């Protein structure tokens, strides 16, 4: 109860905050955004998972403020039960050169073919609103073998090819 700011998941056991990341400025207001995962969120089935993007505007993160997930600027939800979308999350920087920072979201138990192949998704220029992650991701990396668990970890790669842009 001593926290300066509280972000609530409505009293459910969705494990809000199972992953958290500052992802840079995604909306050009000069402030970093907060990405919070709740990998057991059940919007589209038990433990489908969800990720919430909170803009870092001056009114959002002030001492004594209590937020809930409905106040997120953008939400990304798993499509079916037990995907655990949000198992891993990261800010990637500006991958596509648009001037907006991009996001990576992993769901280590996404069932692409049979079971637990997993998936990692890239969101370019995050847009406001609620989104089904599988259909709204700009880039998807899907596992191809049972138990592969793609998306167990996601992270920015930096400039791998030395061309001056983030890869």
């Amino acid at each position: 109860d001593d926290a300066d700011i509280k972000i609530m998941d409505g009293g459910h056991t969705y494990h809000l905050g199972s992953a958290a990341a500052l992802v840079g400025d995604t909306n050009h207001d000069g402030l970093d955004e907060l990405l919070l995962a709740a990998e057991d969120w059940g919007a589209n089935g038990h433990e489908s998972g969800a990720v919430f993007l909170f803009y870092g505007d001056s009114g959002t993160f002030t001492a004594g403020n209590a937020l809930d997930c409905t106040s997120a600027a953008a939400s990304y939800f798993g499509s079916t039960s037990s995907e655990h979308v949000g198992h891993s999350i990261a800010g990637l920087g500006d991958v596509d050169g648009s001037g907006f920072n991009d996001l990576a979201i992993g769901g280590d138990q996404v069932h692409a073919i049979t079971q637990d192949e997993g998936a990692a998704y890239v969101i370019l220029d995050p847009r406001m609103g609620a989104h089904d992650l599988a259909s709204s991701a700009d880039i998807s990396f899907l596992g191809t073998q049972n138990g592969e668990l793609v998306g167990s970890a996601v992270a920015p790669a930096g400039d791998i090819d030395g061309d001056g842009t983030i890869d």
Side-chain angles (χ1 to χ4, degrees), residues 84-108:
H84 292 268
V85 161
H87 180 79
S88 58
I89 56 175
L92 298 178
D94 184 11
V95 174
D96 61 350
S98 67
F100 294 94
N101 285 347
D102 307 312
L103 311 175
I105 300 172
D108 67 334

Side-chain angles (χ1 to χ4, degrees), residues 105-129:
I105 300 172
D108 67 334
Q109 295 181 30
V110 169
H111 312 306
I113 301 169
T114 57
Q115 184 174 343
D116 299 341
E117 297 87 4
Y121 303 99
V122 175
I123 306 297
L124 303 173
D125 311 332
R127 296 160 294 283
M128 292 179 66

Side-chain angles (χ1 to χ4, degrees), residues 11-27:
H12 303 286
T13 56
Y14 295 140
H15 298 112
L16 179 65
S18 56
L22 287 174
V23 296
D25 186 8
T26 65
N27 64 350

